Amino acid sequence: MMTQLTQRSQTKVFEGLHAQYSHNSAALNCTMQFAIFLPPAASKETPVPVLYWLSGLTCTDENFMQKAGALKLAAELGIAIVAPDTSPRGDDIPDDPDQAYDFGKGAGFYLNATQAPWHEHYHMYDYVVDELPKIIEAEFPVTTSKSISGHSMGGHGSLTIALKNPQSYCSVSALAPIANPSNGLWGQKAFTNYLGSDRSAWHEYDATELIKERGYDKPILADVGTADSFETEELHSQTFLEAAEAAGVSIEFNFREGYDHGFYFVASFIENHLHFHAKHLFAT
Amino acid sequence: MMTQLTQRSQTKVFEGLHAQYSHNSAALNCTMQFAIFLPPAASKETPVPVLYWLSGLTCTDENFMQKAGALKLAAELGIAIVAPDTSPRGDDIPDDPDQAYDFGKGAGFYLNATQAPWHEHYHMYDYVVDELPKIIEAEFPVTTSKSISGHSMGGHGSLTIALKNPQSYCSVSALAPIANPSNGLWGQKAFTNYLGSDRSAWHEYDATELIKERGYDKPILADVGTADSFETEELHSQTFLEAAEAAGVSIEFNFREGYDHGFYFVASFIENHLHFHAKHLFAT
């Protein structure tokens, strides 16, 4: 595999390294940018496992790295973090006609679109599952051990990708995930456009449907704030949890008193998620 | 004192509270916004000391709170943090004619301007030294114990304000401060416009000149990265350090190998600064 990476930034942080790269993505058929944090322990001789982080609506590769406060503990634990962008990008990429925040650019929903005009570029599922890990494992001092996590739309991404690829990830977690998008306003808008109006096609990208149909035998951790204003219309945490229970899948799902949907919520609990993933990444 | 505060946001974070308020500022003659973090320990019965944080060029009240990763430890230590904006704001506030990032809005330099048209609003010195602490101490569960810190232009602010008001702050620190602005491009542009071309007026706002003239008997901590691209033209860390030594003032000044000027540098060392201030805030 010879993917040409162009370094966009490189910064020392917590004795490790934060860097951003752009490259031509075959899956997305456009230029993509990702961010990577390498802990100080990472070297060719001592490669480290990777946590893939999927961000929420409107985010790029930058939000999590800048705002989550995750890098200090990741440096200590010896875990690399890779944060892709949230959709294909570029002037020639189709976008929401109203440039709404919840669809199109910045809102790829980690799926493979089947409907025109989205199907030519909106393949974030293939990018995250296949293309990006191949690049990371070829170009950086990492092992093939990986876990996956995300926030909001990214929590939807982490759950659905792990549920569809149980062999690929040591563990999965989510913060305030869109856990049953087929029954939320954001999800219905995205799925109708990207996947068409036949709701049976939506099941492949709905964590509640997937866990019902497939179960899951790896560790799952999730957190949501009890003051999250998107819970009722968009997240449906309880529906997901009930589907998991019915399927006999045990989840550590924490309802955090008084926390809302934003990045201060993510920051408040990200270290729990890093410890959780470290336990499973280093057990393999 | 009856300053009307309007709450702009309120968010639970690390079991404490982050909030933003706007108010009419008498010192700045415009509406200002600040952010405050209150640790979970803060209550009327158990008020907490305050760290004032001054941000750098282009920042608002938001950058430090979102990007520094300071709130977890501040919550544990029981320290409130107050982050003002970096200049007066509003459509009727004069700005750099070219809207440059290094002067005018977002670049108040924590001084009292004497030159037209800046002198009617650009009084960040009075705001930070007098008006803001009075508001904070009247409206929030805090003690009168305070320390001050900042980054870049904000490090210039924290040093000059503490050097001019040694009785007011238990301790002062700075990350990559503009430590001798009279000899830097940013400082010369700002001081010429805000204070006029008579360089003797600049000494009141130049940490190197102030420490030479006045000394300082409270604890000072500073950090700068050895890969900080602004060191030679703008920061002049060594000049400040030499002036302090000549004045018999002892400073813990750390040169951090390989770190640059950005917020990842701030995040990497902010916890050292919080521990430093906690030691002195709780000793009084």
Side-chain angles (χ1 to χ4, degrees), chain B:
Chain B
M1 160 138 216
M2 290 293 288
T3 301
Q4 183 75 38
L5 297 183
T6 304
Q7 191 175 71
R8 298 298 183 180
S9 76
Q10 175 173 321
T11 310
K12 190 169 176 181
V13 55
F14 292 110
E15 298 297 301
L17 181 73
H18 175 274
Q20 294 169 288
Y21 293 87
S22 62
H23 67 102
N24 292 323
S25 164
L28 295 159
N29 194 20
C30 67
T31 300
M32 289 295 287
Q33 182 164 303
F34 65 84
I36 183 168
F37 170 72
L38 289 168
S43 71
K44 279 186 189 170
E45 295 70 35
T46 57
V48 298
V50 183
L51 176 65
Y52 287 83
W53 173 268
L54 306 183
S55 283
L57 292 168
T58 77
C59 290
T60 68
D61 61 305
E62 297 194 334
N63 305 65
F64 178 79
M65 296 292 191
Q66 293 179 354
K67 294 185 176 180
L71 304 188
K72 182 189 178 210
L73 184 59
E76 289 169 15
L77 294 170
I79 296 175
I81 300 177
V82 172
D85 203 344
T86 55
S87 76
R89 297 282 182 178
D91 291 342
D92 56 343
I93 305 297
D95 196 4
D96 185 288
D98 304 319
Q99 301 191 310
Y101 75 98
D102 59 358
F103 180 67
K105 291 184 196 176
F109 272 84
Y110 306 105
L111 50 71
N112 291 334
T114 57
Q115 306 297 302
W118 317 104
H119 64 303
E120 287 183 19
H121 295 283
Y122 283 79
H123 296 146
M124 285 297 293
Y125 178 84
D126 282 351
Y127 181 67
V128 171
V129 172
D130 292 326
E131 186 178 21
L132 186 58
K134 284 195 183 115
I135 294 169
I136 299 299
E137 288 164 19
E139 302 287 339
F140 298 96
V142 301
T143 68
T144 55
S145 291
K146 51 189 191 285
S147 290
I148 191 162
S149 184
H151 172 228
S152 193
M153 177 183 74
H156 145 74
S158 68
L159 290 174
T160 55
I161 284 172
L163 288 166
K164 287 160 72 81
N165 302 277
Q167 75 292 349
S168 298
Y169 300 93
C170 301
S171 47
V172 57
S173 77
L175 290 130
I178 305 173
N180 182 206
S182 306
N183 290 317
L185 303 176
W186 289 334
Q188 287 168 355
K189 178 178 179 181
F191 287 2
T192 302
N193 281 282
Y194 291 136
L195 303 172
S197 53
D198 176 1
R199 291 176 66 107
S200 67
W202 300 6
H203 286 196
E204 285 295 301
Y205 300 109
D206 186 309
T208 296
E209 300 297 336
L210 286 167
I211 209 161
K212 256 189 233 171
E213 289 163 15
R214 305 186 182 206
Y216 190 67
D217 63 358
K218 297 280 183 68
I220 309 183
L221 169 67
D223 286 80
V224 70
T226 64
D228 191 317
S229 59
F230 296 110
E231 174 60 39
T232 309
E233 293 284 7
E234 305 293 357
L235 307 188
H236 300 292
S237 305
Q238 204 62 52
T239 309
F240 174 65
L241 204 46
E242 283 162 17
E245 268 172 35
V249 178
S250 124
I251 299 182
E252 183 187 339
F253 205 123
N254 304 299
F255 291 82
R256 302 295 189 177
E257 185 63 33
Y259 286 86
D260 69 18
H261 194 69
F263 246 99
Y264 287 122
F265 161 67
V266 174
S268 296
F269 298 101
I270 193 65
E271 291 201 346
N272 294 0
H273 286 244
L274 292 176
H275 281 297
F276 165 81
H277 290 298
K279 192 168 77 176
H280 301 295
L281 284 166
F282 289 111
T284 58

Side-chain angles (χ1 to χ4, degrees), chain A residues 12 15 72 257 259 271, chain B residues 12 15 72 257 259:
Chain A
K12 190 169 177 181
E15 298 297 301
K72 182 189 178 210
E257 185 63 33
Y259 286 87
E271 291 202 345
Chain B
K12 190 169 176 181
E15 298 297 301
K72 182 189 178 210
E257 185 63 33
Y259 286 86

